[in-house]
Amino acid sequence: MGLTLDDNNTLENEIPSWGSSLPVQNVQEMVKSDPSNVPEKYIRSSEERPDDANISPLSSQIPVIDMSLLSNGNKDELNKLDFACKEWGFFQVINHGVTEEMLQKTKEAADGFFELPLEEKNEYDMSPDDIQGYGHAYVVSEEQKLDWSDILVLLIYPERFRKPKFWPTTPANFKTIIEAYSAEVGRVGVELLAAVSLLMGMERGGMISHHKEVMQALRVNYYPPCSRPDQVFGFSPHSDTSSLTILLQDFHVTGLQIRHATNWVPVKPVPNALVVNVGDVIEILSNGKYKSIEHRVVTNVIKARISFASFICPADDVEIGPLDQMVDGHEDLKIYRKVRYGDYLRSSIKRQHQGKAHIEFAKLEDENESELFDSSSIEAIRVGTLGIILSDGRGILQGIGISWFHK
Ligand SMILES: O=C(O)CCC(=O)C(=O)O
Ligand SMILES: [Fe+2]
């Protein structure tokens, strides 16, 4: 097959590939044909299920950040952001400048797409080697449990990475609206990263330059109603591999829950607010000071829910590791190693979502574990030695010895 130039004049095979997901049944269609059916593949084990006993009443304590104050350099608001990123890893943003009309139009565009007949939506089907398009993500084995949702993933920035074949042409204004909304979200992301830069001891532009070229991806999540919301997840517990995620959620249907201590806190919609969370990149750069919090989505019996997750990420070849100023120059305090962002992202996409397990890729050996094996704390008895003595013929001997010990 020859190379094709797309609408952005990019050779399609110059667009990096981040991974793929196995094709699975369309959930929206499954519910349409039999609303009471919940196949075994979606039913979680009793230890894993959404459990009402662990639901926290602290929803109203999730911090609300006023972006207009933040942009005007208000110190109290900056301190509030510091607290939010440290203690919650999640916050809602108000006065962000994205108009109510735009939020509404964005939701209508997605409603219009998901209402299309399956055959039409399938024109945007993810190809087997891609995570862009209409389908599912993080399905890596035939055995794993599945999420009660369908998704549409689009790479927005850099523009040359877009694949127009995945952009719905119905509703007719889908592209214009999603582009306009995403540009606004990009602006909010830059503003928030400027504030985070100040908190991490940099100039306002520090984080953005650290990203080299911001990559922004959009995942539109569609969660159909489910007759057994107590047994399934709309989205399995996970943390995001982004720097920041900016989420537009349904203002009437609650579904998102975030981990706080040992409980799960529902993120109750604040009208016209955007929900923002710290992603793994900021957790790694800040050496764990700012937390990329595990979150999950639960379903309900009555109403479908749509959310728009915009992921703000660094360029593929950016090295991410704890910034020196976050450990006061103490190398030994670093809990993460330096990794190439593209490698981090790819290693996480290869895995099934299992909370924060994927961040291990960037973890240095656990301090406590290494203490456990500190030789000074072990009284060992040498039980054997294997030695090899080599002579170079001039009487100079070299020895190699391997000893084994028993405590
Ligand atoms: O639907 C939501 O509220 C959250 C979605 C999410 O966590 C994600 O897309 O990464
Ligand atoms: Fe997420």
Side-chain angles (χ1 to χ4, degrees):
M1 206 179 78
L3 298 178
T4 48
L5 275 177
D6 64 22
D7 293 357
N8 299 311
N9 282 342
T10 306
L11 286 171
E12 207 179 89
N13 70 350
E14 278 178 9
I15 303 176
S17 155
W18 287 275
S20 59
S21 182
L22 296 174
V24 292
Q25 197 176 358
N26 184 278
V27 185
Q28 186 180 4
E29 208 57 22
M30 189 170 76
V31 175
K32 208 186 273 177
S33 63
D34 184 358
S36 63
N37 180 31
V38 181
E40 193 58 38
K41 284 207 82 91
Y42 298 84
I43 300 180
R44 305 296 170 134
S45 68
S46 48
E47 306 84 62
E48 236 197 325
R49 288 179 190 173
D51 182 354
D52 280 349
N54 283 336
I55 301 300
S56 151
L58 297 181
S59 299
S60 61
Q61 288 188 26
I62 298 174
V64 176
I65 301 288
D66 184 330
M67 209 173 92
S68 63
L69 292 177
L70 211 54
S71 309
N72 287 336
N74 184 297
K75 284 271 167 349
D76 289 342
E77 211 59 18
L78 193 62
N79 287 336
K80 211 160 135 188
L81 180 68
D82 180 56
F83 172 81
C85 295
K86 263 193 320 222
E87 303 298 328
W88 286 90
F90 262 84
F91 49 95
Q92 305 230 27
V93 177
I94 56 167
N95 293 330
H96 41 62
V98 190
T99 64
E100 197 175 332
E101 190 194 353
M102 180 168 282
L103 299 180
Q104 189 53 34
K105 281 190 169 163
T106 303
K107 290 179 174 192
E108 284 164 12
D111 286 343
F113 172 72
F114 286 105
E115 274 162 17
L116 294 176
L118 183 61
E119 312 77 72
E120 250 183 274
K121 284 183 293 213
N122 275 347
E123 285 171 25
Y124 310 98
D125 222 5
M126 267 175 202
S127 25
D129 57 348
D130 215 323
I131 47 159
Q132 289 201 68
Y134 181 55
H136 302 89
Y138 300 96
V139 185
V140 296
S141 93
E142 300 293 343
E143 284 78 45
Q144 82 181 68
K145 294 290 179 184
L146 300 175
D147 287 346
W148 198 260
S149 51
D150 306 312
I151 58 175
L152 174 70
V153 180
L154 298 172
L155 210 77
I156 311 280
Y157 300 120
E159 272 184 52
R160 65 177 188 286
F161 286 177
R162 289 187 193 175
K163 291 188 178 172
K165 66 178 178 196
F166 294 124
W167 286 66
T169 50
T170 323
N173 56 2
F174 185 94
K175 180 167 184 272
T176 321
I177 289 173
I178 293 300
E179 273 183 326
Y181 168 74
S182 297
E184 281 292 87
V185 166
R187 175 187 58 75
V188 172
V190 168
E191 200 58 48
L192 290 172
L193 284 177
V196 170
S197 305
L198 297 177
L199 291 176
M200 299 216 289
M202 292 179 270
E203 299 286 312
R204 279 176 63 83
M207 280 294 276
I208 285 294
S209 27
H210 201 78
H211 280 58
K212 278 198 189 163
E213 185 179 35
V214 171
M215 189 163 77
Q216 187 174 322
L218 173 69
R219 175 158 64 215
V220 191
N221 301 295
Y222 183 90
Y223 308 97
C226 179
S227 63
R228 294 306 305 262
D230 55 325
Q231 296 186 338
V232 310
F233 282 124
F235 212 130
S236 304
H238 67 284
S239 72
D240 293 345
T241 45
S242 55
S243 301
L244 285 177
T245 303
I246 302 178
L247 183 91
L248 169 60
Q249 66 165 336
D250 192 302
F251 296 139
H252 306 287
V253 188
T254 308
L256 175 62
Q257 299 180 343
I258 65 177
R259 198 193 272 286
H260 191 61
T262 54
N263 292 329
W264 291 94
V265 187
V267 181
K268 298 259 169 72
V270 169
N272 300 322
L274 294 168
V275 177
V276 176
N277 62 286
V278 168
D280 299 342
V281 173
I282 288 186
E283 167 154 339
I284 294 169
L285 293 177
S286 70
N287 199 41
K289 178 178 181 190
Y290 298 134
K291 311 282 186 316
S292 172
I293 289 295
E294 240 183 280
H295 50 288
R296 66 186 195 182
V297 176
V298 295
T299 58
N300 71 80
V301 223
I302 302 163
K303 224 174 163 317
R305 174 176 180 271
I306 296 182
S307 71
F308 302 75
S310 298
F311 303 100
I312 312 286
C313 309
D316 233 66
D317 60 345
V318 168
E319 298 250 295
I320 52 167
L323 300 173
D324 288 337
Q325 69 268 27
M326 299 309 289
V327 289
D328 289 331
H330 294 291
E331 218 34 53
D332 53 328
L333 292 180
K334 292 186 176 173
I335 58 171
Y336 292 109
R337 64 189 179 102
K338 209 177 242 183
V339 293
R340 198 173 156 275
Y341 181 66
D343 296 342
Y344 182 77
L345 183 58
R346 284 179 186 85
S347 96
S348 134
I349 289 173
K350 271 196 209 134
R351 306 174 58 122
Q352 172 188 358
H353 269 146
Q354 280 171 321
K356 286 191 73 170
H358 61 274
I359 208 169
E360 290 297 322
F361 182 83
K363 271 249 166 86
L364 281 168
E365 193 189 333
D366 193 314
E367 282 287 292
N368 299 328
E369 250 172 53
S370 54
E371 250 168 47
L372 210 69
F373 294 104
D374 180 356
S375 57
S376 63
S377 68
I378 297 177
E379 275 180 57
I381 303 163
R382 189 158 62 115
V383 293
T385 300
L386 172 69
I388 303 169
I389 308 288
L390 303 170
S391 164
D392 68 354
R394 290 173 296 162
I396 298 169
L397 299 178
Q398 287 188 11
I400 303 170
I402 306 165
S403 296
W404 56 100
F405 297 84
H406 187 264
K407 203 175 162 200

